[in-house]
């Protein structure tokens, strides 16, 4: 049997991805205690490049936030965001009128389609202890036929997401069938909505000093990348791989992984390539540069529906729990 490793590469920020994914970012911020207004103490902001605070060597970052960490309103068009919050909380607001606070393992799936604005802020809700945030945001492309679908906002609550516990491993099935376990349905216009595209997003944790076998995809047509983002060294075949490396795998083979002296954390991104040209300009993703120019003009004219919230860095009431307010007015509280 041939070696299942096709390629390894060091992880940068954002993580490199293969079609149908556009990129993925991993945020791990050990935010301090809150100041009572959901931000850090103002004395801790001195010397930071507020508005563009991305220092990779810092314990935490403000990103584009000025007083509360996060990403104030910005547009998206032509793709989807899958946001997984394992630790901490994210406050969502968008131009559709949708809003939410999610965390503790929740996942938000948002189809930008023909265009939406949203903000993603990270409120520091605890004033008596640190506010650690662990968040993944994955950009999944849309095919040409889906670039201009209506935007769609969906919550996958942690209580409903399948989490499989094997002998030495725990697998969180965000998208894609794992063995015989099916995920929650993705957004309806997603590339992941067709099972034939074999899109998979699995967050996997494997015990130290053990072994784990990643099941094959039963398809030679998919791209499959294993992201090793936390732990000690691992071995695949005889190859030693350190943390913060991506591993492009042969999807037709089971892959046996030997885990080092620390619990290993992985993200799997897998899917059949869309195979279409990709034209990108920041948060706009089309097939041609002419389409990019048209979409940018549309945004200048319409602001994708405008911004119905009081602040560009909108956050929700500090004492509010996890919730989702949908564009049709439906409210779900957890």
């Amino acid at each position: 049997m041939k070696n299942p490793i096709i390629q390894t590469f060091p992880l940068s920020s954002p993580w490199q991805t293969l079609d149908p994914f556009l990129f993925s970012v991993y945020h791990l911020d050990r935010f301090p205690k809150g100041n009572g207004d959901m931000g850090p103490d103002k004395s801790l902001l001195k010397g930071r490049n507020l508005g563009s605070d991305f220092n990779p060597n810092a314990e935490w970052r403000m990103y584009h936030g000025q007083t509360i960490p996060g990403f104030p309103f910005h547009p998206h068009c032509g793709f989807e965001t899958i946001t997984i919050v394992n630790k901490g909380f994210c406050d969502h607001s968008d131009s559709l009128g949708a809003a939410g606070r999610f965390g503790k393992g929740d996942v938000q799936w948002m189809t930008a389609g023909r265009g939406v604005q949203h903000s993603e802020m990270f409120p520091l809700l605890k004033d008596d202890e640190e506010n650690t945030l662990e968040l993944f945001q994955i950009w999944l492309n849309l095919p040409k036929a889906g670039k201009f679908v209506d935007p769609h906002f969906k919550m996958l609550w942690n209580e409903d997401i399948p989490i499989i516990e094997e002998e030495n491993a725990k697998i969180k099935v965000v998208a894609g069938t794992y063995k015989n376990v099916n995920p929650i349905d993705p957004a309806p216009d997603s590339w992941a909505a067709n099972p034939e595209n074999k899109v998979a997003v699995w967050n996997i944790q494997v015990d130290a000093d053990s072994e784990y076998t990643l099941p094959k995809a039963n398809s030679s047509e998919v791209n499959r990348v294993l992201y090793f983002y936390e732990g000690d060294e691992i071995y695949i075949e005889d190859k030693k791989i350190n943390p913060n490396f991506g591993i492009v795998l042969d999807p037709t083979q089971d892959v046996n992984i030997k885990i080092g002296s620390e619990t290993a954390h992985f993200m799997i991104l897998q899917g059949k390539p869309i195979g279409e040209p990709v034209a990108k300009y920041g948060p706009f993703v089309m097939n041609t540069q002419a389409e990019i120019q048209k979409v940018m003009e549309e945004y200048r004219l319409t602001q994708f529906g405008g911004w119905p919230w009081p602040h560009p860095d909108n956050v929700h009431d500090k004492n509010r729990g996890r919730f989702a307010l949908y564009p049709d007015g439906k409210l779900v509280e957890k």
Side-chain angles (χ1 to χ4, degrees):
M1 184 177 291
K2 62 181 180 179
N3 193 312
I5 297 176
I6 296 173
Q7 178 189 358
T8 63
F9 56 90
L11 296 182
S12 59
S13 183
W15 291 349
Q16 308 93 306
T17 55
L18 297 177
D19 188 2
F21 297 95
L22 296 165
F23 76 67
S24 178
V25 290
Y26 174 57
H27 297 301
L28 178 61
D29 290 279
R30 295 177 176 85
F31 288 118
K33 297 176 183 178
N35 62 3
D37 291 321
M38 295 182 279
D41 188 279
K42 290 183 180 180
S43 66
L44 301 176
L45 300 181
K46 294 177 181 178
R48 289 182 178 270
N49 184 20
L50 290 181
S52 188
D53 179 19
F54 288 84
N55 181 358
N57 298 315
E59 280 285 291
W60 54 273
R61 291 143 284 271
M62 289 292 289
Y63 302 106
H64 292 310
Q66 299 278 345
T67 58
I68 296 174
F71 296 87
F73 68 1
H74 56 280
H76 286 293
C77 185
F79 64 99
E80 300 184 284
T81 59
I82 303 169
T83 307
I84 304 167
V85 182
N86 284 338
K87 300 174 183 177
F89 293 92
C90 178
D91 273 13
H92 168 90
S93 308
D94 69 33
S95 56
L96 306 175
R101 171 170 290 162
F102 60 102
K104 295 187 175 181
D106 298 328
V107 177
Q108 183 204 75
W109 198 306
M110 190 184 78
T111 304
R114 59 181 169 79
V116 66
Q117 289 193 76
H118 76 156
S119 64
E120 304 155 288
M121 305 305 296
F122 312 136
L124 309 187
L125 301 180
K126 296 183 290 188
D127 300 333
D128 55 352
E129 60 180 292
E130 292 187 345
N131 292 267
T132 298
L133 175 80
E134 182 183 76
L135 177 149
F136 304 83
Q137 186 168 97
I138 299 158
W139 288 21
L140 175 61
N141 202 6
L142 287 166
K144 185 177 181 66
K147 290 288 186 190
F148 293 99
V149 298
D150 289 340
H152 186 83
F153 166 81
K154 180 167 185 171
M155 283 303 310
L156 284 60
W157 300 109
N158 185 61
E159 294 90 338
D160 304 324
I161 297 170
I163 298 176
I164 302 161
E165 296 197 15
E166 299 183 345
E167 183 180 358
N168 302 314
K170 184 182 292 184
I171 302 95
K172 182 171 187 171
V173 183
V174 176
T177 299
Y178 181 90
K179 296 183 178 177
N180 294 319
V181 177
N182 295 322
I184 300 172
D185 289 341
D189 294 301
S190 177
W191 186 247
N194 184 346
E196 293 182 0
N197 294 330
K198 295 190 178 294
V199 173
V201 178
W202 301 332
N203 198 183
I204 301 172
Q205 178 180 313
V206 188
D207 293 343
D209 300 312
S210 69
E211 294 188 23
Y212 167 73
T213 298
L214 176 68
K216 60 188 176 183
N218 291 317
S219 173
S220 61
E221 297 183 329
V222 303
N223 287 326
R224 170 178 265 198
V225 184
L226 177 70
Y227 296 89
F228 177 30
Y229 64 89
E230 184 180 336
D232 191 12
E233 64 193 33
I234 61 169
Y235 286 85
I236 298 177
E237 297 291 322
D238 293 326
K239 184 175 179 62
K240 175 184 172 182
I241 302 170
N242 291 319
N244 295 311
F245 267 78
I247 308 139
V248 181
L249 294 171
D250 178 353
T252 66
Q253 295 189 56
D254 291 341
V255 181
N256 181 259
I257 306 171
K258 295 180 180 178
I259 309 301
S261 61
E262 297 179 12
T263 300
H265 297 258
F266 304 100
M267 182 67 73
I268 280 275
L269 298 183
Q270 168 193 292
K272 180 180 177 180
I274 293 172
E276 296 176 353
V278 174
K280 291 192 290 186
Y281 185 82
F284 305 108
V285 182
M286 292 286 128
N287 295 106
T288 68
Q289 287 300 325
E291 290 171 339
I292 290 286
Q293 294 302 317
K294 185 176 180 179
V295 165
M296 290 176 65
E297 180 64 19
E298 174 72 14
Y299 176 61
R300 281 193 289 267
L301 290 172
T302 70
Q303 296 294 296
F304 293 155
W307 189 248
W309 304 98
H311 306 288
D313 57 349
N314 198 59
V315 293
H316 309 303
D317 186 89
K318 181 182 177 184
N319 296 317
R320 191 156 192 185
R322 296 151 60 219
F323 77 96
L325 174 65
Y326 292 89
D328 64 1
K330 178 183 177 182
L331 175 64
V332 176
E333 299 195 71
K334 304 301 286 186

